[in-house]
Amino acid sequence: MTRREFGSLLFAGPARAQEPVVLFRRGDQGVHTYRIPALIETRKRTLLAVADARLDSDRDLPGRIRRVMRRSEDGGKGWGPVKTICEVKEGGVGDASLLAESDGRLWCFFAYGPPGIGFPTATPGDLTGPAVLQTWAMHSDDDGLNWTAPVDLTPQIRDPRWHAMFPTSGTHFVTRRGRLIVPMVVRDENRVITARNAYSDDRGKTWRIGPVIAPGSDESKVVELANGEIYQNMRYRNQRLVGWSRDGGVTFSDVREDAALIDAICNAGLARVGPWLMFTNAASRKRENLVIRASRDGGRTWTQPRVLHAGPAAYSTLTALRGGDVGVLYECGEQDSVERIVFRRLPRAWAAGN
């Protein structure tokens, strides 16, 4: 390498962020609206993007919703066709989240609403059944090409006094000790909405659920820090609520509002990327201004945000990619926040504001 070539590399600066790639667009394939992004990179470096195909309207359960997916085998440049991976004859399936184990097994968690049953309409009573909003899981051992039939986890983690619960959508993870963690939202016996974590220490064979993390908490994301602590970032009014756990994500201390993280009362994205935490959300008091920012101290302070979409935007999720980049999947539009779901691959240095 010549001196001139070395100098050009030294001063070239960080690579540019990829332009948005539209994966799901309102009206495509006769679907009213696609919502609720979930994203994961597999052991083979395949990207999987999963969403709700909301057939009749953009509303949550109860409603006719099927689970759809697209795959990319070239790092997010090109994507395969939309494929249905779960559809029910009656009711709907919504709010998917993805998790990847080190041996390649992939998990997809989501809510099943029998006819007429959603988070607002479910009531206390049976552990599971036709009046219960259920939590289902299925897995894939072939890089997301095929998935098992769904299994109902509800009887293991539901208190029959609760009105409803569902898994937070997006991207989840496995701790270094092998614990699978899935953040949940519960409407309890007093109709109070709070965040808790469901977890499994035997690769998904059995599940338990932890106590309330904090009053008023809602959809949340969780990540393991370098020191083994679990950091949780939660939807809460117009500022994010955050907390740290020293027992693997079961109980939390120092739960507080993060004044730096203004929020549109919306689900957000969180991932650990090397020494950094990366966080995406609609950084406004309404659903707009989708940004990414970074933290080098376990979520206690944050860099200035980089804007991904200045207009209407809502749910987002992100995942660390091999090689150090960040993959982000988010809802956005020009007239409203759920016109399309787009993917972007971002260099870590760019996402951190360098």
Side-chain angles (χ1 to χ4, degrees):
M1 179 181 290
T2 67
R3 182 180 181 87
R4 177 176 293 179
E5 288 171 333
F6 177 81
S8 66
L9 287 176
L10 183 64
F11 296 106
R16 292 182 179 180
Q18 177 191 17
E19 290 300 310
V21 179
V22 178
L23 299 191
F24 306 99
R25 192 190 307 272
R26 175 181 285 167
D28 285 355
Q29 297 186 327
V31 173
H32 184 284
T33 301
Y34 294 92
R35 282 218 59 198
I36 317 298
L39 178 70
I40 206 76
E41 184 184 55
T42 74
R43 188 173 63 169
K44 294 182 178 180
R45 299 196 176 189
T46 302
L47 287 169
L48 306 182
V50 171
D52 285 7
R54 300 189 169 188
L55 304 180
D56 303 321
S57 75
D58 62 3
R59 292 188 174 185
D60 299 336
L61 295 170
R64 283 205 310 141
I65 304 173
R66 62 178 176 235
R67 175 76 38 251
V68 295
M69 180 188 73
R70 296 186 70 176
R71 300 173 75 252
S72 173
E73 297 180 349
D74 62 1
K77 296 176 183 177
W79 293 80
V82 176
K83 176 183 177 182
T84 297
I85 60 172
C86 186
E87 186 171 18
V88 291
K89 293 181 179 179
E90 295 183 310
V93 288
D95 289 78
S97 55
L98 296 170
L99 181 152
E101 295 193 71
S102 59
D103 68 349
R105 172 163 290 184
L106 306 169
W107 288 91
C108 183
F109 305 93
F110 53 95
Y112 163 60
I117 301 300
F119 194 64
T121 61
T123 56
D126 297 335
L127 279 177
T128 191
V132 175
L133 182 64
Q134 300 168 30
T135 297
W136 285 7
M138 56 189 192
H139 67 264
S140 170
D141 291 321
D142 62 1
D143 208 44
L145 292 170
N146 297 282
W147 295 84
T148 62
V151 174
D152 183 8
L153 305 182
T154 318
Q156 299 185 55
I157 56 177
R158 170 176 160 80
D159 186 323
R161 297 173 299 170
W162 296 344
H163 287 253
M165 69 176 186
F166 68 93
T168 296
S169 63
T171 306
H172 304 318
F173 80 105
V174 184
T175 69
R176 283 173 289 181
R177 294 187 176 185
R179 172 169 287 179
L180 282 62
I181 299 181
V182 179
M184 304 291 296
V185 182
V186 171
R187 176 175 275 128
D188 68 15
E189 61 271 26
N190 299 312
R191 300 190 64 85
V192 175
I193 297 173
T194 54
R196 304 167 183 253
N197 287 330
Y199 57 96
S200 172
D201 293 321
D202 56 9
R203 299 199 62 198
K205 294 177 183 177
T206 60
W207 290 85
R208 291 182 285 177
I209 192 165
V212 171
I213 296 174
S217 53
D218 201 319
E219 292 171 309
S220 64
K221 295 291 170 52
V222 63
V223 71
E224 186 175 30
L225 305 178
N227 64 3
E229 286 185 320
I230 301 296
Y231 167 79
Q232 194 121 353
N233 188 303
M234 294 160 275
R235 171 176 171 172
Y236 176 78
R237 299 177 184 172
N238 282 120
Q239 286 182 313
R240 303 294 294 187
L241 196 67
V242 298
W244 291 262
S245 170
R246 294 179 177 84
D247 61 2
V250 181
T251 62
F252 286 76
S253 61
D254 190 24
V255 179
R256 58 179 174 82
E257 293 181 46
D258 190 328
L261 301 182
I262 303 301
D263 190 63
I265 315 179
C266 190
N267 199 4
L270 178 71
R272 181 178 165 201
V273 187
W276 294 91
L277 293 187
M278 297 288 178
F279 175 74
T280 55
N281 79 319
S284 174
R285 294 190 179 275
K286 60 181 182 178
R287 294 190 172 188
E288 63 181 7
N289 192 38
L290 202 289
V291 306
I292 186 167
R293 65 182 87 208
S295 172
R296 282 294 297 264
D297 56 8
R300 288 173 171 82
T301 62
W302 296 91
T303 60
Q304 289 299 307
R306 288 260 197 188
V307 176
L308 300 180
H309 185 82
Y315 279 33
S316 61
T317 195
L318 71 159
T319 192
L321 305 178
R322 288 171 178 80
D325 286 353
V326 184
V328 186
L329 193 66
Y330 58 92
E331 302 172 334
C332 64
E334 277 66 58
Q335 302 303 316
D336 68 62
S337 61
V338 295
E339 294 172 15
R340 58 187 180 271
I341 295 176
V342 305
F343 170 81
R344 293 185 76 179
R345 188 182 185 107
L346 310 175
R348 183 173 68 182
W350 184 94
N354 296 332

